[in-house]
Amino acid sequence: MSETIEGGCRCGQVRFAASKPPLITMACHCRGCQQMTSSAFSLSAAIPADAFAVTRGEPVIGGLHGAARHYMCPHCMSWLFTRPDGVDFFVNVRSVLFDRADWSDPFVETWTSEGLPWASTPAVHSFERLPPDDAWAGLIGEFATRTGG
């Protein structure tokens, strides 16, 4: 990818940019994501941390204020991105907030065990919970091969 992709919250007070493609795209069906989005699942793109920057505004922490820090716009309260504790190599950005929908298709879906029975995605891989730790490298590699990343 030679260009930076930008995005932001609904009201526009917070803007961000990604200068590298995602490591992987995901849909999460867990109950927490259902509650955070008021929807059946959340969509995200795992952007390499060194390629992600907030370019305008100051996001605030929302959600449960726990092990996964969920950043939101302080004005419209859009859920922008998540920085999980202990994970410093990517930022999990809500992919539908990018100005272009390039990274909205989920490659992996997680927590289908908590999913609503009618909710489905076009994800290539589906997991009742999270993929096993030793599966991530293969999933990321397959995603890169499929997307030319």
Side-chain angles (χ1 to χ4, degrees):
M1 180 176 101
S2 60
E3 65 182 298
T4 296
I5 305 270
E6 297 181 0
C9 66
R10 186 172 187 190
C11 74
Q13 287 191 18
V14 176
R15 297 287 296 164
F16 53 81
S19 59
K20 293 180 185 173
L23 300 169
I24 199 163
T25 58
M26 299 169 281
C28 181
H29 295 267
C30 81
R31 185 73 177 128
C33 282
Q34 291 172 18
Q35 291 172 323
M36 289 278 290
T37 62
S38 297
S39 187
F41 48 81
S42 69
L43 295 173
S44 62
I47 305 297
D50 65 351
F52 178 78
V54 173
T55 59
R56 182 170 65 215
E58 295 289 329
V60 297
I61 296 176
L64 293 178
H65 299 251
R69 293 173 318 281
H70 304 294
Y71 288 85
M72 306 175 117
C73 169
H75 183 73
C76 69
M77 300 309 288
S78 295
W79 179 20
L80 306 168
F81 58 92
T82 300
R83 292 183 184 268
D85 276 355
V87 179
D88 58 1
F89 65 94
F90 75 87
V91 177
N92 205 25
V93 182
R94 308 280 69 81
S95 55
V96 296
L97 295 179
F98 283 105
D99 295 341
R100 297 184 352 215
D102 299 29
W103 301 330
S104 294
D105 293 351
F107 180 70
V108 171
E109 63 181 347
T110 60
W111 289 99
T112 59
S113 61
E114 295 183 6
L116 300 175
W118 51 264
S120 63
T121 76
V124 176
H125 298 281
S126 185
F127 297 90
E128 287 188 3
R129 293 183 181 261
L130 292 172
D133 288 344
D134 61 355
W136 283 106
L139 291 167
I140 290 169
E142 183 182 344
F143 178 77
T145 299
R146 285 177 179 249
T147 60

